[in-house]
């Protein structure tokens, strides 16, 4: 289901996020470090060329999304459906608010009343989270924001080039090592520390999301492309996208497979505050994941690129 976006005047459109410029380039797209899972489709590494583009320096925040909602009256799919997925340690509500939990991932709760305004459930709000990334937004919700703002979701090729910050082949936006600058102790990314999913030692300072300008930006000026929250991309998901692209040589501006229906599964990039090596090391430049376009949860947001 694609929500209908209310008609608003052009003067109401306002996208105030600082822009980072990504220069035209050819880069090696994919996992050249052997970190990914075969089912994530991060191989083969293949050359991709892109024209220069501008991208949001940060994820879209709660404050940014609130301006969109105030201008349009838009209701997210989580609000329409009446529930969304909340990590169990972030849940704020009563037992009656829990609608269920998937047997394969019991750390996720289906929570009545969870949405972008209530990220932990009906007992939470975003009053003090204006500079945190908006979450509980589906791909369809992100696309609706883009239509209002006259922006686009990035292709996953654009997303990966922007996240790499010019460090071709690097594991992370700052290089190959997870620790602090120049090998010093410390954290440069918001992910899980401890024993997943029961104990987070919060060594990086955050149980769930962090403000979008936490840690340091990469060399292009982008903040927290890995960790913190997953980010929706424009592309339709397929495991064999890279294998098909490699057969074409250097691919210019790849946009992924063609969507055959409105329900086509979409790409997510960057990992989140729940990533941990024991089950998910997707807080990397090359990491890929996916979900249905109407899905929402407490660790997925988005950023946008300028339309041409």
């Amino acid at each position: 289901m694609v929500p209908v976006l209310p008609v608003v005047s052009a003067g109401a459109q306002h996208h105030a996020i600082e822009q980072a410029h990504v220069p035209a380039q050819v880069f090696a797209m994919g996992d050249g470090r052997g970190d990914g899972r075969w089912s994530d489709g991060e191989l083969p590494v293949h050359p991709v060329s892109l024209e220069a583009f501008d991208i949001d320096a940060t994820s879209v925040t709660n404050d940014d999304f609130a301006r969109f909602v105030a201008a349009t009256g838009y209701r997210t799919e989580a609000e329409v459906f009446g529930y969304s997925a909340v990590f169990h340690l972030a849940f704020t509500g009563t037992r009656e608010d829990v609608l269920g939990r998937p047997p394969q991932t019991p750390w996720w709760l289906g929570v009545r009343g969870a949405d972008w305004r209530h990220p932990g459930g009906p007992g939470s709000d975003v009053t003090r989270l204006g500079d945190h990334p908006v979450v509980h937004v589906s791909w369809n919700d992100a696309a609706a924001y883009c239509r209002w703002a006259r922006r686009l979701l990035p292709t996953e090729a654009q997303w990966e080039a922007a996240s790499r910050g010019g460090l071709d082949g690097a594991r992370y936006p700052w290089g190959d090592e997870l620790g602090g600058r120049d090998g010093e102790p410390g954290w440069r990314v918001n992910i899980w520390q401890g024993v997943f999913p029961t104990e987070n030692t919060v060594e990086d300072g955050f149980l769930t999301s962090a403000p979008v300008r936490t840690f340091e930006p990469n060399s292009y000026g982008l903040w927290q492309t890995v960790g913190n929250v997953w980010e929706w991309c424009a592309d339709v998901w397929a495991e064999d996208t890279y294998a098909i692209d490699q057969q074409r040589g250097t691919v210019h501006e790849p946009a992924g497979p063609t969507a055959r229906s409105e329900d086509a599964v979409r790409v997510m990039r960057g990992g989140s505050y729940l990533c941990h090596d024991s089950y998910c090391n997707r807080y990397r430049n090359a990491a890929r994941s996916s979900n249905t376009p109407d899905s929402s949860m407490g660790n997925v947001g988005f950023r946008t690129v300028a339309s041409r």
Side-chain angles (χ1 to χ4, degrees), residues 232 237 264-268 289-297 300:
W232 289 110
W237 164 264
V265 174
R266 299 288 175 163
V267 171
M268 302 188 307
S289 191
S290 63
N291 213 330
T292 57
D294 60 351
S295 293
S296 64
M297 61 215 77
V300 180

Side-chain angles (χ1 to χ4, degrees), residues 92-121:
T92 303
T94 66
R95 183 176 301 178
E96 289 72 26
D97 297 320
V98 179
L99 303 179
R101 61 175 74 197
Q104 300 88 348
T105 54
W107 48 85
W108 282 110
L109 309 177
V111 175
R112 180 188 294 112
D115 55 47
W116 76 273
R117 288 188 175 95
H118 308 95

Side-chain angles (χ1 to χ4, degrees), residues 237-251:
W237 164 264
E239 291 180 9
D240 62 354
T241 296
Y242 292 6
I244 293 172
D245 284 349
Q246 186 189 46
Q247 297 172 7
R248 299 160 54 196
T250 299
V251 184

Side-chain angles (χ1 to χ4, degrees), residues 7 31 73-74 81-82 90 115 167 184 208 219 232 241 243 248 254 304:
V7 175
D31 170 32
Y74 182 82
F81 298 156
D115 55 47
L167 296 180
E184 296 177 359
T208 59
S219 61
W232 289 110
T241 296
R248 299 160 54 196
T304 73

Side-chain angles (χ1 to χ4, degrees), residues 69-285:
V69 170
T72 64
Y74 182 82
R75 296 183 69 213
T76 61
E77 292 193 301
E79 291 170 292
V80 172
F81 298 156
Y83 68 94
S84 190
V86 176
F87 182 65
H88 72 113
L89 295 185
F91 172 59
T92 303
T94 66
R95 183 176 301 178
E96 289 72 26
D97 297 320
V98 179
L99 303 179
R101 61 175 74 197
Q104 300 88 348
T105 54
W107 48 85
W108 282 110
L109 309 177
V111 175
R112 180 188 294 112
D115 55 47
W116 76 273
R117 288 188 175 95
H118 308 95
S124 64
D125 60 52
V126 293
T127 301
R128 299 183 179 182
L129 302 177
D131 61 348
H132 285 236
V134 65
V135 292
H136 296 292
V137 286
S138 67
W139 186 92
N140 292 326
D141 297 330
Y145 176 97
C146 287
R147 289 195 295 273
W148 168 75
R150 297 179 179 174
R151 307 277 296 181
L152 298 170
L153 289 174
T155 65
E156 66 170 326
Q158 288 177 321
W159 189 97
E160 184 169 325
S163 183
R164 290 188 177 282
L167 296 180
D168 209 13
R171 182 175 283 122
Y172 306 115
W174 56 86
D176 287 327
E177 300 303 320
L178 183 59
R181 179 180 292 277
D182 299 325
E184 296 177 359
W187 291 91
R188 305 180 73 163
V189 59
N190 178 17
I191 55 175
W192 188 276
Q193 299 91 45
V195 180
F196 187 87
T198 57
E199 179 190 359
N200 189 340
T201 57
V202 196
E203 294 169 33
D204 61 15
F206 304 98
L207 175 64
T208 59
S209 68
V212 294
R213 291 178 181 269
T214 303
F215 306 110
E216 295 181 4
N218 71 6
S219 61
Y220 288 161
L222 282 80
W223 298 76
Q224 294 197 94
T225 51
V226 301
N228 212 27
V229 298
W230 286 98
E231 296 181 349
W232 289 110
C233 289
D235 306 49
V236 171
W237 164 264
E239 291 180 9
D240 62 354
T241 296
Y242 292 6
I244 293 172
D245 284 349
Q246 186 189 46
Q247 297 172 7
R248 299 160 54 196
T250 299
V251 184
H252 184 66
E253 298 283 351
T258 301
R260 297 184 178 181
S261 74
E262 292 181 349
D263 298 327
V265 174
R266 299 288 175 163
V267 171
M268 302 188 307
R269 285 299 205 118
S272 81
Y273 57 79
L274 294 182
C275 280
H276 185 272
D277 280 350
S278 64
Y279 89 105
C280 169
N281 71 338
R282 295 186 179 97
Y283 48 94
R284 297 175 288 106
N285 292 323

